[in-house]
Amino acid sequence: MLTVGVDLAAADKRTAMAAVEWLPGRAVVRDLALGVSDAQIVEASRHANKTGLDCPFGWPAPFVALVTAHQAGHIATSEGEGGPWRRRLAYRHTDEVVREQTGIIPLSVAADRIGHAAFRCAGLLSMLAADGQDVDRCGDGRIVEVYPAAALSCWGLAHRGYKGRRQQVQHADLVTALRAAAPWLELGTFEALARRSHDAFDAVIASLAARAAAIGKATTPDDEQRIAARSEGWIALPTSPLSGLVAAAEA
């Protein structure tokens, strides 16, 4: 099995991609790169069993409805609801599930700068579908939405403070922690890049999360949740320890 993980940014420069091959008892990082284009992602996904994209696959349905209604005229707000009303506009159903299960609040695709990356993701999903790849926003096809910070939390690893100017944790230390928790993961010559770039590190985690989704060890939407996930997207959270990812290859 081959999984691909993509830390998708608004521009190629900050986009990273990792390809991991799964063999009996071990997983080998076959490629890890920065400055990745949409065309490169589409090409890599052709050869992967599962591709995990770290970016929202859609917008909250209430937000889409509000924008559509606002285009036609004035909207009627839910008087007295205040914050809760706006929260439903800002966060997808899957974002709320992640918050409930991990305590992590994902960035709002409707109200945060991650919206710029989501614009790109919408075009990328279209390109993948046009290429003949099975794109299902619920994650049932070849492409699945992943969230590295939440995956790290599910695996008991540090998931905060390793990005930006106010770093509290060096992501190089996270690589060390990952190697200790998953000694079967072979980074090879790409370890230096994973230690140097948190984008590259996140791409590796995205590939591991894609593996969890591929072997049925990640959350999937139930029938009711699927109604929203079909348009908003669904974040696949790992449901097994890291060791469970390679144990399946040994079976």
Side-chain angles (χ1 to χ4, degrees):
M1 176 181 285
L2 183 73
T3 60
V4 166
V6 180
D7 181 41
L8 192 70
D12 295 0
K13 182 179 179 180
R14 291 294 305 276
T15 298
M17 183 168 65
V20 179
E21 183 179 10
W22 298 86
L23 301 165
R26 62 195 183 108
V28 183
V29 177
R30 295 300 187 191
D31 193 23
L32 181 59
L34 297 174
V36 180
S37 68
D38 289 348
Q40 288 174 298
I41 296 170
V42 172
E43 174 62 27
S45 296
R46 288 178 186 151
H47 307 287
N49 298 87
K50 200 81 167 180
T51 295
L53 298 182
D54 174 21
C55 192
F57 279 14
W59 282 262
F63 171 76
V64 174
L66 177 137
V67 173
T68 301
H70 185 62
Q71 285 292 94
H74 297 298
I75 61 168
T77 62
S78 300
E79 294 183 8
E81 291 192 16
W85 176 71
R86 291 193 296 270
R87 187 178 185 87
R88 287 196 294 273
L89 300 175
Y91 294 100
R92 303 174 296 161
H93 185 75
T94 189
D95 297 330
E96 297 292 1
V97 171
V98 169
R99 179 181 62 81
E100 291 170 4
Q101 294 192 11
T102 70
I104 299 172
I105 302 175
L107 292 175
S108 167
V109 66
D112 286 318
R113 291 182 63 184
I114 196 173
H116 290 276
F119 296 152
R120 180 184 182 186
C121 187
L124 176 59
L125 293 178
S126 179
M127 290 176 63
L128 289 163
D131 191 60
Q133 301 189 41
D134 185 5
V135 177
D136 183 320
R137 296 187 203 177
C138 295
D140 294 335
R142 295 268 298 280
I143 316 299
V144 64
E145 182 179 341
V146 298
Y147 187 13
L152 288 168
S153 175
C154 290
W155 290 325
L157 296 171
H159 59 280
R160 302 181 192 273
Y162 67 97
K163 298 181 181 181
R165 297 178 180 178
R166 299 180 180 178
Q167 280 185 309
Q168 298 173 344
V169 177
Q170 293 297 322
H171 64 269
D173 295 334
L174 286 182
V175 176
T176 300
L178 176 63
R179 292 297 307 277
W184 40 262
L185 179 62
E186 300 176 15
L187 291 169
T189 59
F190 301 109
E191 182 169 345
L193 177 56
R195 290 183 178 277
R196 187 172 71 250
S197 164
H198 62 71
D199 298 319
F201 174 75
D202 275 356
V204 173
I205 299 302
S207 188
L208 301 186
R211 166 69 171 181
I215 61 176
K217 295 189 175 183
T219 57
T220 58
D222 60 28
D223 290 343
E224 184 177 352
Q225 293 167 334
R226 192 171 293 272
I227 296 171
R230 288 193 186 104
S231 62
E232 295 183 348
W234 179 265
I235 297 169
L237 293 175
T239 57
S240 78
L242 275 167
S243 59
L245 301 185
V246 74
E250 296 175 322

